[in-house]
Amino acid sequence: MSEQSEYGAGQIQVLEGLQAVRKRPAMYIGSTEERGLHHLVYEVVDNAIDEALAGHCEEIDVTIHDDGSVSVRDDGRGIPVDTHEKYDRPALEVIMTVLHAGGKFDSKSYQVSGGLHGVGVSVVNALSERLEVQVKRDGGVFRHRFDRGEPVEGGFEHVRDLDAGEDTGTEIRFWPDTEIFETTDFSFSTLATRLRELAFLNSGVEITLRDEREDGGEADAGDEAIFRYEGGIREFVAYLNETRTPIHDEIIYFEDEAEDVHVEVAMQATEELQGSIHAFANNINTREGGTHLTGFKTALTRTVNDYADERGLVDDLDANLKGEDVREGLTAVISVKHPDPQFEGQTKTKLGNSEVRGIVESATHERLGTFFEEHPDTAEKIVHKAAEAARARKAAKKAEELTRRKSALESTALPGKLADCQTRDPEEAELFVVEGDSAGGSAKQGRNRENQAILPLKGKILNVEKHRLDRILENDEIRALITAIGAGIGEEFDIEDARYNKIIIMTDADVDGAHIRTLLLTLLYRHMKPLLEAGYVYAAQPPLYRVRYHGETYDAMTEEERDRIVAEECDGNPDQVQRFKGLGEMNPDQLWDTTMDPENRRLKRITVDDAAAADRMFNILMGDAVEPRKQFIKEHATEAEWVDI
Ligand code: 0RA
């Protein structure tokens, strides 16, 4: 290692690579916001999962430390530490500093991490102020340290020999760079959701998440969560259905492998109206679907129809069951692992490999067919449920045709309650959906009418979780919202027609307001999901307190913020502290200043990062099961948290 201090050609290449990552971090991890920050953890964990899938690792520990760093420890083979010939540096250093180096060392045929992350741990290193790694391997314990991706001179050390029987493994601890990330505050629940999902998708791997922070950041953060599911995606389906009512006991499960593609499916039908199918490819949530999902859907429809036809179970229907009938209330998880997955689509979450369609289709047709033969009771329940859905669909269609003329959906007239804005440019236009007529009135007076439209909603809209589309469309408030947005609903929804690129839900900061917001989000999630996926949906953040001191006013969103203002800005002795009870209490100027003025306001973008979690949340909050709802609300006492799905 005598030449380590000199920069050779290899070293310069390394530095250029790290600089490229630091210059355009979003290209590598998607964003420098919360989502990108959490990707750092997923990237390291993915490497450990790869070790597990190769059969070398059983436990992964993720710890959020009190100093803002995160460490990921696994009991895999350990990152190689011998000298890398090309670079004449320890392989560990090369893997931590050369983009995409990880894979080249690997003899595995099968590297499962890919797509969204799978950019390599060197990217995590480049985006960390500091990173420390400890490897147990080749009979020793080795360490190395890095500053903003660059190896610390003399940082590589052989610390000691391994004790007899001591396990191999890797521990990577990193301090995300505050120069790069807008926030470096990790969310326990965000990490827990993804780690739980990974544990479901990789049965038998034990993943532990620990939070060692004094102030856990979130009121609901637990200290420790352990995820281990021997039943894999079967348990995933059981978990998703905890909040639903299954119509058969056993969870249907099968797996198959063809052309090196591993396919797993678990499913269970429920009484619910909403189906919930989650497709994964190489552990990545393929939110945009793809060939695996298409193959599954085709085979499912065919297999259920075959079974029904052979036994004359749906002779009263004059046509076959449609896919949507069969999927009504169905909870399913599809997971494929592919040696060379191709991800497509806007967010690179659509599986493109064309051969996967046929592989999943024949696996599903064959295995599900066999399951139905062996479990005729279950098969009949599934057919019965689908037939019921088909009848309801026909009735709904008739109702829709009858009411079409009345329906505001078909007319181009905007709803009378809407105070529209002047601009016709959706990129500029904002729609405030406001709770109650009095706040609506203030918003109309206070707004910038050039680009801000106001739609006041009276009271609570219909709970869409409990009704089919025909009933939903009878609701005046919902129709007004659909017409104002202008992009249709359900399968007809076309985001290109949206009249506003910002839809801002403005409700009171109390329980009723939270309920109304959830009702609206449920509607958007179930029937206008592209709006959420495109990031068009926001929650306004009206202040809770206004503090006055020596002619200045300060607004605070939370109690803590109020206390901070009183202490820091008012020498602990404010002239006045006012608590806003609701939006309706603010006059138009105050509403504009605090909540609507783009210069001052804070908006919270509502995202659907994790469809399974969102689905479960809406089931829990809006469905019939009482116990899970109580439990959920108890666990998520800070309601601000669950808004950010
Ligand atoms: C390169 C090659 C091998 C393993 C790894 C990297 C590896 C990376 C990480 C990152 C976190 N934990 C990890 N564990 C292993 C294969 C080594 C071999 O063939 O023995």
mmCIF file with all atom_site columns, all heavy atoms in Angstrom, residues 426-443:
data_model
loop_
_atom_site.group_PDB
_atom_site.id
_atom_site.type_symbol
_atom_site.label_atom_id
_atom_site.label_alt_id
_atom_site.label_comp_id
_atom_site.label_asym_id
_atom_site.label_entity_id
_atom_site.label_seq_id
_atom_site.pdbx_PDB_ins_code
_atom_site.Cartn_x
_atom_site.Cartn_y
_atom_site.Cartn_z
_atom_site.occupancy
_atom_site.B_iso_or_equiv
_atom_site.pdbx_formal_charge
_atom_site.auth_seq_id
_atom_site.auth_comp_id
_atom_site.auth_asym_id
_atom_site.auth_atom_id
_atom_site.pdbx_PDB_model_num
ATOM 1   N N   . PRO A 1 426 ? -53.054 24.910 -16.921 1.00 0.00 ? 426 PRO A N   1
ATOM 2   C CA  . PRO A 1 426 ? -53.084 24.026 -15.746 1.00 0.00 ? 426 PRO A CA  1
ATOM 3   C C   . PRO A 1 426 ? -51.813 24.129 -14.905 1.00 0.00 ? 426 PRO A C   1
ATOM 4   O O   . PRO A 1 426 ? -51.843 23.946 -13.701 1.00 0.00 ? 426 PRO A O   1
ATOM 5   C CB  . PRO A 1 426 ? -53.212 22.627 -16.340 1.00 0.00 ? 426 PRO A CB  1
ATOM 6   C CG  . PRO A 1 426 ? -53.714 22.823 -17.726 1.00 0.00 ? 426 PRO A CG  1
ATOM 7   C CD  . PRO A 1 426 ? -53.235 24.172 -18.169 1.00 0.00 ? 426 PRO A CD  1
ATOM 8   N N   . GLU A 1 427 ? -50.698 24.451 -15.557 1.00 0.00 ? 427 GLU A N   1
ATOM 9   C CA  . GLU A 1 427 ? -49.450 24.524 -14.802 1.00 0.00 ? 427 GLU A CA  1
ATOM 10  C C   . GLU A 1 427 ? -49.459 25.665 -13.791 1.00 0.00 ? 427 GLU A C   1
ATOM 11  O O   . GLU A 1 427 ? -48.798 25.611 -12.767 1.00 0.00 ? 427 GLU A O   1
ATOM 12  C CB  . GLU A 1 427 ? -48.265 24.716 -15.756 1.00 0.00 ? 427 GLU A CB  1
ATOM 13  C CG  . GLU A 1 427 ? -48.005 23.482 -16.566 1.00 0.00 ? 427 GLU A CG  1
ATOM 14  C CD  . GLU A 1 427 ? -46.530 23.328 -16.864 1.00 0.00 ? 427 GLU A CD  1
ATOM 15  O OE1 . GLU A 1 427 ? -45.717 23.964 -16.175 1.00 0.00 ? 427 GLU A OE1 1
ATOM 16  O OE2 . GLU A 1 427 ? -46.219 22.579 -17.798 1.00 0.00 ? 427 GLU A OE2 1
ATOM 17  N N   . GLU A 1 428 ? -50.211 26.702 -14.124 1.00 0.00 ? 428 GLU A N   1
ATOM 18  C CA  . GLU A 1 428 ? -50.308 27.857 -13.227 1.00 0.00 ? 428 GLU A CA  1
ATOM 19  C C   . GLU A 1 428 ? -51.450 27.692 -12.236 1.00 0.00 ? 428 GLU A C   1
ATOM 20  O O   . GLU A 1 428 ? -51.423 28.253 -11.137 1.00 0.00 ? 428 GLU A O   1
ATOM 21  C CB  . GLU A 1 428 ? -50.596 29.130 -14.038 1.00 0.00 ? 428 GLU A CB  1
ATOM 22  C CG  . GLU A 1 428 ? -49.525 29.510 -15.042 1.00 0.00 ? 428 GLU A CG  1
ATOM 23  C CD  . GLU A 1 428 ? -48.277 29.965 -14.314 1.00 0.00 ? 428 GLU A CD  1
ATOM 24  O OE1 . GLU A 1 428 ? -48.420 30.685 -13.308 1.00 0.00 ? 428 GLU A OE1 1
ATOM 25  O OE2 . GLU A 1 428 ? -47.179 29.571 -14.737 1.00 0.00 ? 428 GLU A OE2 1
ATOM 26  N N   . ALA A 1 429 ? -52.487 26.965 -12.671 1.00 0.00 ? 429 ALA A N   1
ATOM 27  C CA  . ALA A 1 429 ? -53.755 26.993 -11.943 1.00 0.00 ? 429 ALA A CA  1
ATOM 28  C C   . ALA A 1 429 ? -53.736 26.109 -10.702 1.00 0.00 ? 429 ALA A C   1
ATOM 29  O O   . ALA A 1 429 ? -53.170 25.025 -10.702 1.00 0.00 ? 429 ALA A O   1
ATOM 30  C CB  . ALA A 1 429 ? -54.886 26.564 -12.882 1.00 0.00 ? 429 ALA A CB  1
ATOM 31  N N   . GLU A 1 430 ? -54.363 26.623 -9.651  1.00 0.00 ? 430 GLU A N   1
ATOM 32  C CA  . GLU A 1 430 ? -54.467 25.882 -8.397  1.00 0.00 ? 430 GLU A CA  1
ATOM 33  C C   . GLU A 1 430 ? -55.930 25.800 -8.002  1.00 0.00 ? 430 GLU A C   1
ATOM 34  O O   . GLU A 1 430 ? -56.657 26.783 -8.115  1.00 0.00 ? 430 GLU A O   1
ATOM 35  C CB  . GLU A 1 430 ? -53.720 26.635 -7.280  1.00 0.00 ? 430 GLU A CB  1
ATOM 36  C CG  . GLU A 1 430 ? -52.289 26.961 -7.621  1.00 0.00 ? 430 GLU A CG  1
ATOM 37  C CD  . GLU A 1 430 ? -51.561 27.691 -6.481  1.00 0.00 ? 430 GLU A CD  1
ATOM 38  O OE1 . GLU A 1 430 ? -52.253 28.288 -5.619  1.00 0.00 ? 430 GLU A OE1 1
ATOM 39  O OE2 . GLU A 1 430 ? -50.319 27.641 -6.468  1.00 0.00 ? 430 GLU A OE2 1
ATOM 40  N N   . LEU A 1 431 ? -56.336 24.630 -7.541  1.00 0.00 ? 431 LEU A N   1
ATOM 41  C CA  . LEU A 1 431 ? -57.691 24.484 -7.029  1.00 0.00 ? 431 LEU A CA  1
ATOM 42  C C   . LEU A 1 431 ? -57.631 24.246 -5.527  1.00 0.00 ? 431 LEU A C   1
ATOM 43  O O   . LEU A 1 431 ? -57.030 23.275 -5.074  1.00 0.00 ? 431 LEU A O   1
ATOM 44  C CB  . LEU A 1 431 ? -58.403 23.302 -7.704  1.00 0.00 ? 431 LEU A CB  1
ATOM 45  C CG  . LEU A 1 431 ? -59.800 22.974 -7.148  1.00 0.00 ? 431 LEU A CG  1
ATOM 46  C CD1 . LEU A 1 431 ? -60.784 24.107 -7.452  1.00 0.00 ? 431 LEU A CD1 1
ATOM 47  C CD2 . LEU A 1 431 ? -60.337 21.666 -7.725  1.00 0.00 ? 431 LEU A CD2 1
ATOM 48  N N   . PHE A 1 432 ? -58.234 25.174 -4.763  1.00 0.00 ? 432 PHE A N   1
ATOM 49  C CA  . PHE A 1 432 ? -58.348 24.960 -3.325  1.00 0.00 ? 432 PHE A CA  1
ATOM 50  C C   . PHE A 1 432 ? -59.688 24.293 -3.032  1.00 0.00 ? 432 PHE A C   1
ATOM 51  O O   . PHE A 1 432 ? -60.739 24.847 -3.362  1.00 0.00 ? 432 PHE A O   1
ATOM 52  C CB  . PHE A 1 432 ? -58.273 26.293 -2.567  1.00 0.00 ? 432 PHE A CB  1
ATOM 53  C CG  . PHE A 1 432 ? -56.881 26.835 -2.454  1.00 0.00 ? 432 PHE A CG  1
ATOM 54  C CD1 . PHE A 1 432 ? -56.307 27.540 -3.491  1.00 0.00 ? 432 PHE A CD1 1
ATOM 55  C CD2 . PHE A 1 432 ? -56.127 26.616 -1.304  1.00 0.00 ? 432 PHE A CD2 1
ATOM 56  C CE1 . PHE A 1 432 ? -55.007 28.040 -3.395  1.00 0.00 ? 432 PHE A CE1 1
ATOM 57  C CE2 . PHE A 1 432 ? -54.827 27.103 -1.184  1.00 0.00 ? 432 PHE A CE2 1
ATOM 58  C CZ  . PHE A 1 432 ? -54.266 27.814 -2.235  1.00 0.00 ? 432 PHE A CZ  1
ATOM 59  N N   . VAL A 1 433 ? -59.637 23.111 -2.471  1.00 0.00 ? 433 VAL A N   1
ATOM 60  C CA  . VAL A 1 433 ? -60.863 22.441 -2.059  1.00 0.00 ? 433 VAL A CA  1
ATOM 61  C C   . VAL A 1 433 ? -61.015 22.734 -0.571  1.00 0.00 ? 433 VAL A C   1
ATOM 62  O O   . VAL A 1 433 ? -60.178 22.318 0.230   1.00 0.00 ? 433 VAL A O   1
ATOM 63  C CB  . VAL A 1 433 ? -60.771 20.929 -2.325  1.00 0.00 ? 433 VAL A CB  1
ATOM 64  C CG1 . VAL A 1 433 ? -62.083 20.247 -1.958  1.00 0.00 ? 433 VAL A CG1 1
ATOM 65  C CG2 . VAL A 1 433 ? -60.415 20.669 -3.782  1.00 0.00 ? 433 VAL A CG2 1
ATOM 66  N N   . VAL A 1 434 ? -62.042 23.506 -0.237  1.00 0.00 ? 434 VAL A N   1
ATOM 67  C CA  . VAL A 1 434 ? -62.098 24.109 1.092   1.00 0.00 ? 434 VAL A CA  1
ATOM 68  C C   . VAL A 1 434 ? -63.253 23.540 1.908   1.00 0.00 ? 434 VAL A C   1
ATOM 69  O O   . VAL A 1 434 ? -64.364 23.362 1.393   1.00 0.00 ? 434 VAL A O   1
ATOM 70  C CB  . VAL A 1 434 ? -62.264 25.642 0.972   1.00 0.00 ? 434 VAL A CB  1
ATOM 71  C CG1 . VAL A 1 434 ? -62.203 26.288 2.344   1.00 0.00 ? 434 VAL A CG1 1
ATOM 72  C CG2 . VAL A 1 434 ? -61.194 26.223 0.063   1.00 0.00 ? 434 VAL A CG2 1
ATOM 73  N N   . GLU A 1 435 ? -62.982 23.266 3.154   1.00 0.00 ? 435 GLU A N   1
ATOM 74  C CA  . GLU A 1 435 ? -64.000 22.745 4.061   1.00 0.00 ? 435 GLU A CA  1
ATOM 75  C C   . GLU A 1 435 ? -64.936 23.865 4.498   1.00 0.00 ? 435 GLU A C   1
ATOM 76  O O   . GLU A 1 435 ? -64.507 24.836 5.115   1.00 0.00 ? 435 GLU A O   1
ATOM 77  C CB  . GLU A 1 435 ? -63.305 22.129 5.287   1.00 0.00 ? 435 GLU A CB  1
ATOM 78  C CG  . GLU A 1 435 ? -64.237 21.788 6.426   1.00 0.00 ? 435 GLU A CG  1
ATOM 79  C CD  . GLU A 1 435 ? -63.477 21.295 7.668   1.00 0.00 ? 435 GLU A CD  1
ATOM 80  O OE1 . GLU A 1 435 ? -62.228 21.198 7.628   1.00 0.00 ? 435 GLU A OE1 1
ATOM 81  O OE2 . GLU A 1 435 ? -64.151 21.005 8.672   1.00 0.00 ? 435 GLU A OE2 1
ATOM 82  N N   . GLY A 1 436 ? -66.190 23.726 4.135   1.00 0.00 ? 436 GLY A N   1
ATOM 83  C CA  . GLY A 1 436 ? -67.208 24.624 4.663   1.00 0.00 ? 436 GLY A CA  1
ATOM 84  C C   . GLY A 1 436 ? -67.381 25.915 3.873   1.00 0.00 ? 436 GLY A C   1
ATOM 85  O O   . GLY A 1 436 ? -66.446 26.418 3.252   1.00 0.00 ? 436 GLY A O   1
ATOM 86  N N   . ASP A 1 437 ? -68.607 26.441 3.913   1.00 0.00 ? 437 ASP A N   1
ATOM 87  C CA  . ASP A 1 437 ? -68.920 27.631 3.123   1.00 0.00 ? 437 ASP A CA  1
ATOM 88  C C   . ASP A 1 437 ? -68.272 28.890 3.674   1.00 0.00 ? 437 ASP A C   1
ATOM 89  O O   . ASP A 1 437 ? -67.927 29.795 2.931   1.00 0.00 ? 437 ASP A O   1
ATOM 90  C CB  . ASP A 1 437 ? -70.438 27.829 3.050   1.00 0.00 ? 437 ASP A CB  1
ATOM 91  C CG  . ASP A 1 437 ? -71.055 26.844 2.060   1.00 0.00 ? 437 ASP A CG  1
ATOM 92  O OD1 . ASP A 1 437 ? -70.323 26.414 1.140   1.00 0.00 ? 437 ASP A OD1 1
ATOM 93  O OD2 . ASP A 1 437 ? -72.242 26.504 2.208   1.00 0.00 ? 437 ASP A OD2 1
ATOM 94  N N   . SER A 1 438 ? -68.088 28.952 5.015   1.00 0.00 ? 438 SER A N   1
ATOM 95  C CA  . SER A 1 438 ? -67.560 30.217 5.544   1.00 0.00 ? 438 SER A CA  1
ATOM 96  C C   . SER A 1 438 ? -66.071 30.357 5.220   1.00 0.00 ? 438 SER A C   1
ATOM 97  O O   . SER A 1 438 ? -65.618 31.415 4.779   1.00 0.00 ? 438 SER A O   1
ATOM 98  C CB  . SER A 1 438 ? -67.844 30.347 7.041   1.00 0.00 ? 438 SER A CB  1
ATOM 99  O OG  . SER A 1 438 ? -66.882 29.655 7.793   1.00 0.00 ? 438 SER A OG  1
ATOM 100 N N   . ALA A 1 439 ? -65.315 29.274 5.382   1.00 0.00 ? 439 ALA A N   1
ATOM 101 C CA  . ALA A 1 439 ? -63.915 29.335 4.973   1.00 0.00 ? 439 ALA A CA  1
ATOM 102 C C   . ALA A 1 439 ? -63.834 29.526 3.459   1.00 0.00 ? 439 ALA A C   1
ATOM 103 O O   . ALA A 1 439 ? -62.971 30.243 2.950   1.00 0.00 ? 439 ALA A O   1
ATOM 104 C CB  . ALA A 1 439 ? -63.191 28.055 5.381   1.00 0.00 ? 439 ALA A CB  1
ATOM 105 N N   . GLY A 1 440 ? -64.779 28.886 2.743   1.00 0.00 ? 440 GLY A N   1
ATOM 106 C CA  . GLY A 1 440 ? -64.833 29.051 1.285   1.00 0.00 ? 440 GLY A CA  1
ATOM 107 C C   . GLY A 1 440 ? -65.000 30.518 0.927   1.00 0.00 ? 440 GLY A C   1
ATOM 108 O O   . GLY A 1 440 ? -64.343 31.025 0.017   1.00 0.00 ? 440 GLY A O   1
ATOM 109 N N   . GLY A 1 441 ? -65.856 31.221 1.677   1.00 0.00 ? 441 GLY A N   1
ATOM 110 C CA  . GLY A 1 441 ? -66.086 32.642 1.422   1.00 0.00 ? 441 GLY A CA  1
ATOM 111 C C   . GLY A 1 441 ? -64.831 33.463 1.642   1.00 0.00 ? 441 GLY A C   1
ATOM 112 O O   . GLY A 1 441 ? -64.458 34.293 0.813   1.00 0.00 ? 441 GLY A O   1
ATOM 113 N N   . SER A 1 442 ? -64.133 33.191 2.761   1.00 0.00 ? 442 SER A N   1
ATOM 114 C CA  . SER A 1 442 ? -62.885 33.921 3.025   1.00 0.00 ? 442 SER A CA  1
ATOM 115 C C   . SER A 1 442 ? -61.850 33.636 1.943   1.00 0.00 ? 442 SER A C   1
ATOM 116 O O   . SER A 1 442 ? -61.129 34.535 1.498   1.00 0.00 ? 442 SER A O   1
ATOM 117 C CB  . SER A 1 442 ? -62.295 33.484 4.365   1.00 0.00 ? 442 SER A CB  1
ATOM 118 O OG  . SER A 1 442 ? -63.084 33.970 5.423   1.00 0.00 ? 442 SER A OG  1
ATOM 119 N N   . ALA A 1 443 ? -61.795 32.366 1.531   1.00 0.00 ? 443 ALA A N   1
ATOM 120 C CA  . ALA A 1 443 ? -60.808 31.992 0.521   1.00 0.00 ? 443 ALA A CA  1
ATOM 121 C C   . ALA A 1 443 ? -61.104 32.697 -0.799  1.00 0.00 ? 443 ALA A C   1
ATOM 122 O O   . ALA A 1 443 ? -60.195 33.163 -1.489  1.00 0.00 ? 443 ALA A O   1
ATOM 123 C CB  . ALA A 1 443 ? -60.799 30.465 0.332   1.00 0.00 ? 443 ALA A CB  1
#
